Amino acid sequence: MVSARMSDPKIWKTCVGAMVNLIEEAAFKFTPAGVKMKAMDPSHVALVDFELPAAAFSEYVVKQPVTLGINLTEMDKILSRAKADDELILELDEKMNRLAIVFKGASTRRLSLPLIDVREAELQEPRIQFTATAEILAGIIQDGLKDAELISDNVRFELNDDGFFITAEGDRGSTELRLCKGDKGLLNLSVKERARAMFNIKYLTDMTKAAGAADVMKISLGTNLPIQLDYPIAGGVGKLRFLLAPRVESE
Amino acid sequence: MVSARMSDPKIWKTCVGAMVNLIEEAAFKFTPAGVKMKAMDPSHVALVDFELPAAAFSEYVVKQPVTLGINLTEMDKILSRAKADDELILELDEKMNRLAIVFKGASTRRLSLPLIDVREAELQEPRIQFTATAEILAGIIQDGLKDAELISDNVRFELNDDGFFITAEGDRGSTELRLCKGDKGLLNLSVKERARAMFNIKYLTDMTKAAGAADVMKISLGTNLPIQLDYPIAGGVGKLRFLLAPRVESE
Amino acid sequence: MVSARMSDPKIWKTCVGAMVNLIEEAAFKFTPAGVKMKAMDPSHVALVDFELPAAAFSEYVVKQPVTLGINLTEMDKILSRAKADDELILELDEKMNRLAIVFKGASTRRLSLPLIDVREAELQEPRIQFTATAEILAGIIQDGLKDAELISDNVRFELNDDGFFITAEGDRGSTELRLCKGDKGLLNLSVKERARAMFNIKYLTDMTKAAGAADVMKISLGTNLPIQLDYPIAGGVGKLRFLLAPRVESE
């Protein structure tokens, strides 16, 4: 039995909205402790790591661990039908082999989607020795990516003692975003060693676009290492993490 | 002579906006008592029945009955140019064989469209023995249709002693909207006998999309009978009614 | 050296936004007195005349006159990235042969675009004996053009003692906008002689669409003469003028 209830549909909606651009199918593990999901994108460049503990739900009943295979595109379409005031309920319909997503508001709407078989890869999250981290308003990151998109497919992220930098270079010009120590959008900066690496803009855009402009994201970087992006989920009790492999810089 | 004036362009705009998705050409009969129009869609599945009495206009001058053939697509485009504060005037230009639609606001804008020949069918509105009726916020109906659209082309409407139900089934899942007695969106429920029938979603969407979410629509149903939808027009003095034939349920 | 600073990015953005639909490349002359640009559209039907004196900038440093060739499409894309609260800085990067457009706000974003070679035509602005002028809310002109667009490619502008008129005729009907003396949208009317001429709607739409609905534009007309449109720029200290050749009316 699975029955999980949230007073705000936004948490689940944001998480699925952030995943759906990278992976199409996901195996959500519902256990008495909470929900987990880990997956790589088809080209194995990006990894999603999601956890929502039972405490993040207003009501959470899972007797036996169960893994639910979900088509994220379909789930995302259903979640787009949520209204801001709706209560969200996830319910396993074992007989029909479906997951029901219930929106309780002006009416009660029950949208069910078929469960699918999803091969669960045993993913070991890589241990990376990041040399710098920062907490940054998502809107700032989104702006830097949109700027860079005008002229290139790739973007360089850098954290150093001065702050956070997004730069891009192309035939049609260059872009640079500087967010310096003291700027309001930079909430925390911790630099052991200057870190910079280049990434594909489309992946970073997909990973960040579900965030609200005022959400605080945590960035972890190391020179020519993968970037780690952490969403602020359910007031800190959940985890939505993305890892993205760097592009080799030809310099 | 035809000259009809309304202080709010929205009434006429909503009516034409609701019709235009179903029928392309319409014959509006202007008589001293008011305006009438009745038409079926090209595939003869849906019927539109429209009446706006002289009292719905702030000024209404029609000496002799006259039938004006109108291309609704063109009229709808012209009405889309209305501003909320504009006064709307309809004026027959006999010399040019055109209908002038005048918007009086910051400026006076006169948009005229050519009259066309429209064959008037003698439509007898069918007498249907509905077994249940309800008054429902249009936004609720629109939500149920949008949900159902995710997974099917058809939708089942049901009225019973518990309330109003919209359900759909498909390979990609199922949807169900429940609006129960006591819910705010259900303003009136009168059930002689449980009534349910299946309809094409696209037709129902076209019929309801011109309504505001807070408008109250009246639904009349009978098992496997056509559905009748009544718009609230001009504070109740007018009539905008749709009839839609049911789909045969294969069960 | 070129370094020009404006507290409001909107002025430069509106000007470029109005030009970009007509001309793709422009040669901006930066002199100690200010910035100038004059160009014709590729089909030589329309002329743009732009001037922004040093006083329109909060800071303006140009030692030597220099002409910067700009791809307006690229510049417009960059300016679309400005936020309302950003400060805008234009800076010549001589080493890289680029113009940097800097947005200072929550972060500092520097978007640079390559300078290009633009042939400077010696354009003599024609001396036209307009017989009527008016100051009109841009929103009114935009409305009249959008109305006319429904039925024709051309539109007639007229100024006479009664006011301002936009009319169009086509197989699909006719449109007429009347803005009479005394109407709020007509701020000034000066008619030596009734003036009317026909113009291409697309050009007029391109010339006026960057204006806000409440901006006051000045129209100068003469019968079968070009139309002159003046934007209100930087509180009157700048100049953004369009001239458009008339269509020959076949009557």
Side-chain angles (χ1 to χ4, degrees), chain A residues 140 143 146-147 150 169-179, chain C residues 74 77-78 81 83 96 98 106-114:
Chain A
I140 303 274
D143 273 337
K146 275 189 207 141
D147 290 352
L150 291 179
E169 266 288 334
D171 294 342
R172 287 151 69 199
S174 65
T175 68
E176 180 200 53
L177 177 146
R178 308 169 66 92
L179 185 68
Chain C
E74 296 298 324
K77 277 188 208 159
I78 289 178
R81 300 288 313 127
K83 292 170 180 294
M96 297 291 286
R98 285 178 177 170
S107 61
T108 299
R109 295 147 62 210
R110 185 182 186 86
L111 291 83
S112 303
L113 83 170

mmCIF file of all heavy atoms in Angstrom, chain A residues 140 143 146-147 150 169-179, chain C residues 74 77-78 81 83 96 98 106-114:
data_model
loop_
_atom_site.group_PDB
_atom_site.id
_atom_site.type_symbol
_atom_site.label_atom_id
_atom_site.label_comp_id
_atom_site.label_asym_id
_atom_site.label_seq_id
_atom_site.Cartn_x
_atom_site.Cartn_y
_atom_site.Cartn_z
ATOM 1 N N ILE A 140 19.679 34.166 -10.874
ATOM 2 C CA ILE A 140 20.984 34.640 -11.366
ATOM 3 C C ILE A 140 21.581 33.597 -12.323
ATOM 4 O O ILE A 140 22.071 33.926 -13.407
ATOM 5 C CB ILE A 140 21.957 34.863 -10.179
ATOM 6 C CG1 ILE A 140 21.381 35.856 -9.165
ATOM 7 C CG2 ILE A 140 23.344 35.260 -10.683
ATOM 8 C CD1 ILE A 140 21.629 37.302 -9.451
ATOM 9 N N ASP A 143 19.696 33.567 -15.544
ATOM 10 C CA ASP A 143 20.051 34.717 -16.378
ATOM 11 C C ASP A 143 21.373 34.489 -17.108
ATOM 12 O O ASP A 143 21.485 34.760 -18.305
ATOM 13 C CB ASP A 143 20.182 35.981 -15.519
ATOM 14 C CG ASP A 143 18.850 36.678 -15.336
ATOM 15 O OD1 ASP A 143 17.957 36.462 -16.178
ATOM 16 O OD2 ASP A 143 18.708 37.427 -14.362
ATOM 17 N N LYS A 146 20.854 32.058 -19.935
ATOM 18 C CA LYS A 146 20.113 32.630 -21.071
ATOM 19 C C LYS A 146 20.981 33.601 -21.851
ATOM 20 O O LYS A 146 20.895 33.679 -23.072
ATOM 21 C CB LYS A 146 18.842 33.331 -20.566
ATOM 22 C CG LYS A 146 17.685 32.369 -20.400
ATOM 23 C CD LYS A 146 16.387 33.132 -20.115
ATOM 24 C CE LYS A 146 15.418 32.270 -19.318
ATOM 25 N NZ LYS A 146 14.690 33.026 -18.283
ATOM 26 N N ASP A 147 21.794 34.386 -21.143
ATOM 27 C CA ASP A 147 22.739 35.264 -21.832
ATOM 28 C C ASP A 147 23.660 34.428 -22.728
ATOM 29 O O ASP A 147 23.801 34.702 -23.924
ATOM 30 C CB ASP A 147 23.629 36.011 -20.819
ATOM 31 C CG ASP A 147 22.880 37.071 -20.023
ATOM 32 O OD1 ASP A 147 21.713 37.351 -20.338
ATOM 33 O OD2 ASP A 147 23.477 37.609 -19.073
ATOM 34 N N LEU A 150 22.715 32.882 -26.131
ATOM 35 C CA LEU A 150 22.642 33.738 -27.323
ATOM 36 C C LEU A 150 23.808 33.496 -28.259
ATOM 37 O O LEU A 150 23.712 33.734 -29.457
ATOM 38 C CB LEU A 150 22.641 35.229 -26.927
ATOM 39 C CG LEU A 150 21.425 35.795 -26.206
ATOM 40 C CD1 LEU A 150 21.640 37.270 -25.898
ATOM 41 C CD2 LEU A 150 20.174 35.621 -27.048
ATOM 42 N N GLU A 169 31.908 32.174 -24.915
ATOM 43 C CA GLU A 169 32.614 32.788 -26.045
ATOM 44 C C GLU A 169 32.116 32.160 -27.338
ATOM 45 O O GLU A 169 31.892 30.950 -27.398
ATOM 46 C CB GLU A 169 34.122 32.487 -25.948
ATOM 47 C CG GLU A 169 34.952 33.542 -25.250
ATOM 48 C CD GLU A 169 35.111 34.798 -26.093
ATOM 49 O OE1 GLU A 169 35.041 34.712 -27.367
ATOM 50 O OE2 GLU A 169 35.261 35.860 -25.492
ATOM 51 N N GLY A 170 31.930 32.981 -28.368
ATOM 52 C CA GLY A 170 31.527 32.416 -29.654
ATOM 53 C C GLY A 170 31.816 33.386 -30.762
ATOM 54 O O GLY A 170 32.276 34.503 -30.517
ATOM 55 N N ASP A 171 31.533 32.967 -31.992
ATOM 56 C CA ASP A 171 31.753 33.866 -33.128
ATOM 57 C C ASP A 171 30.854 35.097 -33.035
ATOM 58 O O ASP A 171 31.198 36.168 -33.534
ATOM 59 C CB ASP A 171 31.432 33.136 -34.449
ATOM 60 C CG ASP A 171 32.415 32.015 -34.702
ATOM 61 O OD1 ASP A 171 33.503 32.028 -34.075
ATOM 62 O OD2 ASP A 171 32.098 31.122 -35.516
ATOM 63 N N ARG A 172 29.697 34.941 -32.413
ATOM 64 C CA ARG A 172 28.753 36.050 -32.359
ATOM 65 C C ARG A 172 28.966 36.930 -31.140
ATOM 66 O O ARG A 172 28.137 37.780 -30.835
ATOM 67 C CB ARG A 172 27.333 35.506 -32.391
ATOM 68 C CG ARG A 172 26.971 34.976 -33.790
ATOM 69 C CD ARG A 172 25.955 33.878 -33.729
ATOM 70 N NE ARG A 172 24.665 34.367 -33.321
ATOM 71 C CZ ARG A 172 23.703 33.599 -32.836
ATOM 72 N NH1 ARG A 172 23.916 32.308 -32.673
ATOM 73 N NH2 ARG A 172 22.559 34.109 -32.498
ATOM 74 N N GLY A 173 30.089 36.730 -30.418
ATOM 75 C CA GLY A 173 30.400 37.601 -29.301
ATOM 76 C C GLY A 173 30.734 36.831 -28.040
ATOM 77 O O GLY A 173 31.115 35.651 -28.101
ATOM 78 N N SER A 174 30.614 37.491 -26.912
ATOM 79 C CA SER A 174 30.935 36.853 -25.646
ATOM 80 C C SER A 174 29.959 37.343 -24.589
ATOM 81 O O SER A 174 29.341 38.401 -24.733
ATOM 82 C CB SER A 174 32.360 37.202 -25.228
ATOM 83 O OG SER A 174 32.460 38.590 -24.971
ATOM 84 N N THR A 175 29.785 36.538 -23.541
ATOM 85 C CA THR A 175 28.976 36.981 -22.406
ATOM 86 C C THR A 175 29.699 36.645 -21.119
ATOM 87 O O THR A 175 30.452 35.671 -21.050
ATOM 88 C CB THR A 175 27.585 36.301 -22.377
ATOM 89 O OG1 THR A 175 27.753 34.905 -22.083
ATOM 90 C CG2 THR A 175 26.852 36.455 -23.694
ATOM 91 N N GLU A 176 29.464 37.470 -20.142
ATOM 92 C CA GLU A 176 30.081 37.244 -18.828
ATOM 93 C C GLU A 176 29.127 37.727 -17.756
ATOM 94 O O GLU A 176 28.626 38.842 -17.822
ATOM 95 C CB GLU A 176 31.392 38.035 -18.736
ATOM 96 C CG GLU A 176 32.111 37.855 -17.413
ATOM 97 C CD GLU A 176 33.116 38.979 -17.157
ATOM 98 O OE1 GLU A 176 32.714 40.169 -17.241
ATOM 99 O OE2 GLU A 176 34.272 38.681 -16.887
ATOM 100 N N LEU A 177 28.854 36.863 -16.783
ATOM 101 C CA LEU A 177 28.087 37.278 -15.610
ATOM 102 C C LEU A 177 29.012 37.239 -14.410
ATOM 103 O O LEU A 177 29.686 36.229 -14.181
ATOM 104 C CB LEU A 177 26.887 36.354 -15.407
ATOM 105 C CG LEU A 177 26.020 36.627 -14.168
ATOM 106 C CD1 LEU A 177 24.554 36.306 -14.456
ATOM 107 C CD2 LEU A 177 26.479 35.843 -12.944
ATOM 108 N N ARG A 178 29.068 38.335 -13.661
ATOM 109 C CA ARG A 178 29.891 38.416 -12.450
ATOM 110 C C ARG A 178 28.970 38.604 -11.257
ATOM 111 O O ARG A 178 28.180 39.550 -11.219
ATOM 112 C CB ARG A 178 30.827 39.622 -12.486
ATOM 113 C CG ARG A 178 31.673 39.766 -13.714
ATOM 114 C CD ARG A 178 32.352 41.137 -13.743
ATOM 115 N NE ARG A 178 33.312 41.264 -12.665
ATOM 116 C CZ ARG A 178 34.601 40.958 -12.783
ATOM 117 N NH1 ARG A 178 35.090 40.555 -13.949
ATOM 118 N NH2 ARG A 178 35.400 41.066 -11.750
ATOM 119 N N LEU A 179 29.095 37.723 -10.300
ATOM 120 C CA LEU A 179 28.334 37.866 -9.060
ATOM 121 C C LEU A 179 29.377 37.891 -7.954
ATOM 122 O O LEU A 179 30.021 36.866 -7.667
ATOM 123 C CB LEU A 179 27.379 36.679 -8.904
ATOM 124 C CG LEU A 179 26.422 36.734 -7.716
ATOM 125 C CD1 LEU A 179 25.388 37.848 -7.891
ATOM 126 C CD2 LEU A 179 25.714 35.396 -7.545
ATOM 127 N N GLU C 74 21.309 41.232 -33.649
ATOM 128 C CA GLU C 74 22.072 40.719 -32.506
ATOM 129 C C GLU C 74 21.970 41.666 -31.315
ATOM 130 O O GLU C 74 21.817 41.238 -30.170
ATOM 131 C CB GLU C 74 23.549 40.529 -32.893
ATOM 132 C CG GLU C 74 23.811 39.492 -33.976
ATOM 133 C CD GLU C 74 23.378 38.094 -33.569
ATOM 134 O OE1 GLU C 74 23.528 37.748 -32.386
ATOM 135 O OE2 GLU C 74 22.854 37.348 -34.422
ATOM 136 N N LYS C 77 18.649 41.260 -29.623
ATOM 137 C CA LYS C 77 18.589 40.049 -28.788
ATOM 138 C C LYS C 77 19.263 40.303 -27.441
ATOM 139 O O LYS C 77 18.776 39.887 -26.394
ATOM 140 C CB LYS C 77 19.307 38.894 -29.493
ATOM 141 C CG LYS C 77 18.451 38.168 -30.502
ATOM 142 C CD LYS C 77 19.200 36.927 -31.001
ATOM 143 C CE LYS C 77 18.777 36.571 -32.404
ATOM 144 N NZ LYS C 77 19.784 35.736 -33.095
ATOM 145 N N ILE C 78 20.409 40.952 -27.484
ATOM 146 C CA ILE C 78 21.125 41.244 -26.241
ATOM 147 C C ILE C 78 20.298 42.168 -25.352
ATOM 148 O O ILE C 78 20.163 41.944 -24.146
ATOM 149 C CB ILE C 78 22.512 41.859 -26.547
ATOM 150 C CG1 ILE C 78 23.432 40.780 -27.124
ATOM 151 C CG2 ILE C 78 23.122 42.486 -25.296
ATOM 152 C CD1 ILE C 78 24.815 41.274 -27.500
ATOM 153 N N ARG C 81 17.656 40.951 -23.059
ATOM 154 C CA ARG C 81 18.102 40.334 -21.806
ATOM 155 C C ARG C 81 18.181 41.355 -20.665
ATOM 156 O O ARG C 81 18.507 40.989 -19.530
ATOM 157 C CB ARG C 81 19.479 39.668 -22.012
ATOM 158 C CG ARG C 81 19.515 38.571 -23.069
ATOM 159 C CD ARG C 81 18.804 37.295 -22.632
ATOM 160 N NE ARG C 81 19.206 36.912 -21.301
ATOM 161 C CZ ARG C 81 18.334 36.665 -20.323
ATOM 162 N NH1 ARG C 81 17.047 36.735 -20.536
ATOM 163 N NH2 ARG C 81 18.759 36.319 -19.137
ATOM 164 N N LYS C 83 17.024 43.768 -17.700
ATOM 165 C CA LYS C 83 15.928 43.803 -16.747
ATOM 166 C C LYS C 83 15.585 45.260 -16.456
ATOM 167 O O LYS C 83 16.441 46.151 -16.592
ATOM 168 C CB LYS C 83 16.340 43.083 -15.468
ATOM 169 C CG LYS C 83 16.490 41.593 -15.722
ATOM 170 C CD LYS C 83 17.118 40.856 -14.576
ATOM 171 C CE LYS C 83 17.217 39.388 -14.912
ATOM 172 N NZ LYS C 83 15.890 38.734 -15.041
ATOM 173 N N MET C 96 39.336 43.918 -28.916
ATOM 174 C CA MET C 96 38.579 42.792 -29.461
ATOM 175 C C MET C 96 37.679 43.209 -30.625
ATOM 176 O O MET C 96 37.022 42.357 -31.221
ATOM 177 C CB MET C 96 37.705 42.168 -28.361
ATOM 178 C CG MET C 96 38.455 41.576 -27.199
ATOM 179 S SD MET C 96 39.351 40.071 -27.709
ATOM 180 C CE MET C 96 37.973 38.906 -27.853
ATOM 181 N N ARG C 98 34.906 44.864 -30.404
ATOM 182 C CA ARG C 98 33.550 44.525 -29.992
ATOM 183 C C ARG C 98 32.924 45.693 -29.241
ATOM 184 O O ARG C 98 33.630 46.524 -28.660
ATOM 185 C CB ARG C 98 33.571 43.317 -29.035
ATOM 186 C CG ARG C 98 33.823 41.998 -29.717
ATOM 187 C CD ARG C 98 33.876 40.908 -28.665
ATOM 188 N NE ARG C 98 34.052 39.590 -29.288
ATOM 189 C CZ ARG C 98 34.313 38.489 -28.607
ATOM 190 N NH1 ARG C 98 34.439 38.529 -27.295
ATOM 191 N NH2 ARG C 98 34.438 37.334 -29.225
ATOM 192 N N ALA C 106 21.299 42.926 -10.222
ATOM 193 C CA ALA C 106 21.586 41.922 -9.191
ATOM 194 C C ALA C 106 22.972 41.319 -9.417
ATOM 195 O O ALA C 106 23.675 40.963 -8.481
ATOM 196 C CB ALA C 106 20.523 40.833 -9.220
ATOM 197 N N SER C 107 23.360 41.222 -10.671
ATOM 198 C CA SER C 107 24.725 40.829 -11.012
ATOM 199 C C SER C 107 25.206 41.791 -12.091
ATOM 200 O O SER C 107 24.461 42.657 -12.523
ATOM 201 C CB SER C 107 24.751 39.389 -11.548
ATOM 202 O OG SER C 107 23.952 39.299 -12.719
ATOM 203 N N THR C 108 26.465 41.660 -12.486
ATOM 204 C CA THR C 108 26.960 42.485 -13.586
ATOM 205 C C THR C 108 27.144 41.598 -14.796
ATOM 206 O O THR C 108 27.902 40.633 -14.775
ATOM 207 C CB THR C 108 28.295 43.148 -13.214
ATOM 208 O OG1 THR C 108 28.070 43.973 -12.074
ATOM 209 C CG2 THR C 108 28.819 44.005 -14.364
ATOM 210 N N ARG C 109 26.386 41.887 -15.855
ATOM 211 C CA ARG C 109 26.430 41.031 -17.036
ATOM 212 C C ARG C 109 26.959 41.827 -18.214
ATOM 213 O O ARG C 109 26.460 42.896 -18.521
ATOM 214 C CB ARG C 109 25.031 40.485 -17.312
ATOM 215 C CG ARG C 109 24.548 39.565 -16.197
ATOM 216 C CD ARG C 109 23.058 39.651 -16.005
ATOM 217 N NE ARG C 109 22.394 39.235 -17.203
ATOM 218 C CZ ARG C 109 21.215 39.690 -17.605
ATOM 219 N NH1 ARG C 109 20.577 40.608 -16.898
ATOM 220 N NH2 ARG C 109 20.683 39.262 -18.703
ATOM 221 N N ARG C 110 27.974 41.284 -18.849
ATOM 222 C CA ARG C 110 28.649 41.975 -19.931
ATOM 223 C C ARG C 110 28.480 41.135 -21.193
ATOM 224 O O ARG C 110 29.076 40.064 -21.330
ATOM 225 C CB ARG C 110 30.131 42.090 -19.563
ATOM 226 C CG ARG C 110 30.981 42.892 -20.505
ATOM 227 C CD ARG C 110 32.448 42.886 -20.045
ATOM 228 N NE ARG C 110 33.243 43.765 -20.868
ATOM 229 C CZ ARG C 110 33.388 45.061 -20.648
ATOM 230 N NH1 ARG C 110 32.846 45.615 -19.596
ATOM 231 N NH2 ARG C 110 34.093 45.800 -21.490
ATOM 232 N N LEU C 111 27.648 41.618 -22.109
ATOM 233 C CA LEU C 111 27.412 40.887 -23.354
ATOM 234 C C LEU C 111 28.035 41.689 -24.488
ATOM 235 O O LEU C 111 27.672 42.848 -24.707
ATOM 236 C CB LEU C 111 25.911 40.698 -23.589
ATOM 237 C CG LEU C 111 25.221 39.729 -22.598
ATOM 238 C CD1 LEU C 111 24.859 40.409 -21.293
ATOM 239 C CD2 LEU C 111 23.983 39.093 -23.196
ATOM 240 N N SER C 112 28.994 41.068 -25.172
ATOM 241 C CA SER C 112 29.748 41.802 -26.191
ATOM 242 C C SER C 112 29.378 41.292 -27.573
ATOM 243 O O SER C 112 29.253 40.093 -27.792
ATOM 244 C CB SER C 112 31.249 41.605 -25.967
ATOM 245 O OG SER C 112 31.596 42.027 -24.674
ATOM 246 N N LEU C 113 29.242 42.235 -28.506
ATOM 247 C CA LEU C 113 28.961 41.778 -29.865
ATOM 248 C C LEU C 113 29.994 42.347 -30.824
ATOM 249 O O LEU C 113 30.478 43.464 -30.649
ATOM 250 C CB LEU C 113 27.527 42.081 -30.273
ATOM 251 C CG LEU C 113 27.081 43.424 -30.806
ATOM 252 C CD1 LEU C 113 25.650 43.289 -31.347
ATOM 253 C CD2 LEU C 113 27.094 44.454 -29.712
ATOM 254 N N PRO C 114 30.371 41.550 -31.810
ATOM 255 C CA PRO C 114 31.434 41.950 -32.731
ATOM 256 C C PRO C 114 30.990 43.157 -33.562
ATOM 257 O O PRO C 114 29.833 43.230 -33.966
ATOM 258 C CB PRO C 114 31.616 40.729 -33.645
ATOM 259 C CG PRO C 114 30.727 39.656 -33.139
ATOM 260 C CD PRO C 114 29.784 40.243 -32.153
#
